[in-house]
Amino acid sequence: MSELSIGDRVGDVLASLPEGVLLVGAAKMRSPEEARAAIEAGLPAIGHNYVQQAETMRQSLSEWEARWENPVRWHLIGHLQRNKVKKAVALFDMIETMDSVSLAHTVDRHCADIRKVMSVLIEINSGRESSKTGVAPGETLNLAREISQMEHLRLQGLMTMGPRFGDPEDSRPYFRVTKGLFDSLSSADLGGGEMRYLSMGMSNSYRIAIEEGANIVRIGTTLFGERRA
Ligand SMILES: *Cc1c(COP(=O)(O)O)cnc(C)c1O
């Protein structure tokens, strides 16, 4: 695998995805040059866990990005801290990790300041792990209704990480729980919200996630190689 370039790997993964599945390149700890190589090979979206890393990367790619023909989509895929909301709403096209009413209000307010409507996914703590971010499955409908009433947020779906396993088959039940929520919210009256995107699956689990209904996959290692410490 190490002889393949980033561009080759992006091409291989893109070719393997069913139609309608959006590939997000998880770019934490990667250099702007690595991200650019991936984008030039057709990667449509970049995901960042940290606002600061995204800002640094976007700044160094900004001149190139302005000339690039296909606009790249920037997704926040890590937990959003209150003191980073202002920067985050300026940088990202989608926040995949919305997990509380109060955070939603804060994002809504900052989006109002810059007259932007932010696409958001609700992050589900599908493993009900106390160490993890995301809402408990039982609280999802309430949060979805609240977000749907906020003028500067557009609810577009759900995201989950699930517990990490060596055997990706073990992730399947958590993907299934999240898809079940996605389906029940799809038929609920959410006002303005809609269930369009289901973001599940990483390098070792994305094939299973797609079998369970994912249409966004967030992939790092398979595209960029092992993360350096
Ligand atoms: C790092 C990360 C990924 C990708 O993980 P890989 O195993 O490197 O593919 C996906 N989602 C989130 C939220 C991540 O932090």
Side-chain angles (χ1 to χ4, degrees), residues 2 9-10 22 25 27 39 43 52 62 64 73 83 100 112 121 135 137 141 145 153 155 170 176 186 189 212 225:
S2 54
R9 293 185 213 155
V10 169
L22 177 70
I39 296 163
L43 183 71
Q52 191 54 56
S62 64
W64 171 80
R73 292 149 76 168
N83 60 353
S100 76
L121 307 184
V135 289
L141 179 59
R145 288 198 165 126
L153 300 187
L155 178 64
D170 294 337
R176 219 165 252 184
S186 297
D189 180 11
E212 296 301 331

Side-chain angles (χ1 to χ4, degrees), residues 2 6 20 27 44 48 52 68 83 100 160 191 194-195 210 215 221:
S2 54
I6 289 173
H48 270 285
Q52 191 54 56
W68 181 245
N83 60 353
S100 76
T160 198
E194 60 165 349
M195 289 292 116
I210 289 169
N215 59 9
T221 313

Side-chain angles (χ1 to χ4, degrees), residues 135-229:
V135 289
E139 292 162 21
T140 311
L141 179 59
N142 182 49
L143 178 57
R145 288 198 165 126
E146 295 274 352
I147 291 173
S148 297
Q149 285 168 20
M150 296 182 197
E151 214 180 318
H152 296 88
L153 300 187
R154 185 150 53 119
L155 178 64
Q156 293 210 291
L158 306 180
M159 176 272 212
T160 198
M161 291 276 284
R164 254 231 200 255
F165 296 105
D167 180 355
E169 196 53 53
D170 294 337
S171 297
R172 195 184 288 279
Y174 302 94
F175 294 154
R176 219 165 252 184
V177 162
T178 309
K179 175 64 157 72
L181 278 172
F182 183 86
D183 289 342
S184 69
L185 288 175
S186 297
S187 49
D189 180 11
L190 294 176
E194 60 165 349
M195 289 292 116
R196 176 165 172 209
Y197 293 113
L198 181 55
S199 175
M200 321 191 283
M202 322 205 304
S203 287
N204 78 335
S205 60
Y206 74 91
R207 291 182 191 81
I208 286 167
I210 289 169
E211 285 171 14
E212 296 301 331
N215 59 9
I216 295 181
V217 291
R218 309 175 311 270
I219 302 183
T221 313
T222 298
L223 304 182
F224 297 108
E226 291 295 330
R227 274 185 288 282
R228 294 170 297 269

Side-chain angles (χ1 to χ4, degrees), residues 20-202:
V21 175
L22 177 70
L23 177 60
V24 175
K28 56 179 171 273
M29 318 297 279
R30 306 299 176 175
S31 69
E33 292 72 30
E34 289 172 299
R36 180 177 157 174
I39 296 163
E40 286 180 329
L43 183 71
I46 291 277
H48 270 285
N49 296 68
Y50 303 105
V51 174
Q52 191 54 56
Q53 284 183 17
E55 185 179 45
T56 306
M57 182 179 281
R58 281 208 82 166
Q59 276 168 357
S60 53
L61 291 178
S62 64
E63 270 186 41
W64 171 80
E65 204 187 341
R67 281 180 279 110
W68 181 245
E69 61 263 33
N70 306 307
V72 182
R73 292 149 76 168
W74 295 79
H75 287 207
L76 180 67
I77 62 174
H79 183 65
L80 178 56
Q81 292 174 315
R82 283 322 128 89
N83 60 353
K84 298 283 165 44
V85 170
K86 186 175 178 193
K87 274 189 179 174
V89 300
L91 278 167
F92 291 104
D93 301 301
M94 180 183 279
I95 295 174
E96 295 199 15
T97 50
M98 191 58 70
D99 66 356
S100 76
V101 174
S102 69
L103 179 62
H105 276 298
T106 306
V107 173
D108 184 54
R109 225 173 29 243
H110 282 281
C111 285
D113 288 344
I114 61 168
R115 295 193 176 80
K116 178 169 180 171
V117 176
M118 179 65 75
S119 294
V120 300
L121 307 184
I122 293 175
E123 182 180 356
I124 309 298
N125 184 354
S126 56
R128 296 180 171 83
E129 299 166 281
S130 57
S131 61
K132 286 277 175 69
T133 52
V135 289
E139 292 162 21
T140 311
L141 179 59
N142 182 49
L143 178 57
R145 288 198 165 126
E146 295 274 352
I147 291 173
S148 297
Q149 285 168 20
M150 296 182 197
E151 214 180 318
H152 296 88
L153 300 187
R154 185 150 53 119
L155 178 64
Q156 293 210 291
L158 306 180
M159 176 272 212
T160 198
M161 291 276 284
R164 254 231 200 255
F165 296 105
D167 180 355
E169 196 53 53
D170 294 337
S171 297
R172 195 184 288 279
Y174 302 94
F175 294 154
R176 219 165 252 184
V177 162
T178 309
K179 175 64 157 72
L181 278 172
F182 183 86
D183 289 342
S184 69
L185 288 175
S186 297
S187 49
D189 180 11
L190 294 176
E194 60 165 349
M195 289 292 116
R196 176 165 172 209
Y197 293 113
L198 181 55
S199 175
M200 321 191 283
M202 322 205 304

